[in-house]
């Protein structure tokens, strides 16, 4: 009987902790809170009663940090987990379509770096790779950066002109 009740107690506490951690993630990703008191109050509103020490352990487990806002205040932020990224004022699809993905291009030697808006690099690199531009050997894309390798002896202006036919709003 002792084992069964102890197991049930431990299982219940783990479920409460997991629920509390999930609530903490959602609170941090949706609100700009700068103190543990504010976090404790937000968690209490969600039905979680805990001590400051428990909150500190939870923050450490989630690898929560503080980051500066545009206004200069410091708020809690989660590590880069896509599901929990804060979106203050999302643009409509129509507004996002008006803004080009291309930001800039810079060259050094036979290399170039194209900066894009977040999320655009892979599709722009795909367009470049599938356009058979003779001046470009290949690309490597991240989220907002494209690395291009240029054939030796090619003029940067020629590369830019060739890319402007493939990359919207590059001119």
């Amino acid at each position: 009987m002792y084992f069964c009740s102890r197991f049930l107690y431990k299982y219940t506490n783990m479920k409460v902790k997991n629920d509390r951690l999930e609530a903490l993630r959602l609170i941090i990703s949706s609100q700009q809170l700068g103190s543990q008191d504010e976090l404790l109050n937000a968690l209490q509103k969600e039905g979680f009663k805990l001590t400051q020490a428990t909150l500190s352990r939870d923050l450490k487990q989630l690898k929560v940090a503080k980051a500066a806002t545009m206004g200069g205040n410091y708020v809690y932020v989660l590590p880069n987990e896509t599901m929990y990224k804060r979106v203050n004022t999302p643009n409509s699809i129509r507004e996002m379509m008006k803004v080009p993905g291309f930001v800039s291009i810079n060259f050094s030697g036979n290399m170039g770096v194209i900066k894009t808006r977040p999320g655009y690099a892979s599709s722009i690199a795909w367009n470049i790779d599938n356009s058979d531009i003779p001046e470009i050997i290949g690309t490597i894309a991240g989220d907002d950066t494209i690395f291009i390798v240029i054939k030796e002896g090619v003029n940067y202006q020629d590369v830019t002109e060739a890319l402007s036919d493939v990359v919207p709003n590059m001119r």
Side-chain angles (χ1 to χ4, degrees):
M1 186 69 148
Y2 172 75
F3 173 76
C4 185
S5 63
R6 187 173 169 174
F7 173 77
L8 187 57
Y9 174 78
K10 191 172 185 177
Y11 173 77
T12 304
N13 281 346
M14 282 303 286
K15 178 153 178 33
V16 169
K17 181 179 180 181
N18 289 339
D19 290 347
R20 185 179 69 238
L21 291 175
E22 183 64 16
L24 188 55
R25 283 185 192 103
L26 292 171
I27 288 168
I28 291 171
S29 66
S30 64
Q31 300 176 38
Q32 291 190 353
L33 303 175
S35 72
Q36 287 192 4
D37 283 339
E38 291 174 326
L39 283 174
L40 284 170
N41 289 334
L43 285 165
Q44 273 188 328
K45 287 178 185 173
E46 298 299 323
F48 297 96
K49 295 190 189 287
L50 61 149
T51 65
Q52 183 273 330
T54 300
L55 177 60
S56 290
R57 285 190 293 273
D58 288 351
L59 293 172
K60 185 175 181 179
Q61 181 177 344
L62 294 175
K63 296 181 172 81
V64 171
K66 276 195 165 181
T69 64
M70 296 295 270
N73 299 323
Y74 284 86
V75 297
Y76 288 103
V77 293
L78 292 162
N80 290 332
E81 295 179 29
T82 306
M83 182 175 164
Y84 297 106
K85 283 192 178 169
R86 179 179 290 126
V87 177
N88 289 334
T89 53
N91 293 334
S92 70
I93 299 298
R94 186 165 296 191
E95 288 171 327
M96 287 189 281
M97 294 297 284
K98 291 179 186 175
V99 181
F102 172 79
V103 174
S104 67
I105 186 167
N106 288 297
F107 298 99
S108 179
N110 71 326
M111 299 175 288
V113 174
I114 298 173
K115 297 301 274 178
T116 71
R117 289 180 44 224
Y120 281 74
S122 62
S123 61
I124 292 174
W126 187 88
N127 287 341
I128 294 168
D129 289 338
N130 288 292
S131 295
D132 297 322
I133 299 172
E135 294 88 352
I136 297 176
I137 295 172
T139 66
I140 299 173
D143 182 55
D144 63 355
T145 306
I146 305 168
F147 173 76
I148 59 174
V149 178
I150 304 161
K151 287 186 179 175
E152 288 191 39
V154 173
N155 182 315
Y156 298 150
Q157 184 63 36
D158 293 339
V159 174
T160 304
E161 286 178 23
L163 285 171
S164 67
D165 293 334
V166 178
V167 180
N169 300 331
M170 187 162 166
R171 291 184 187 232

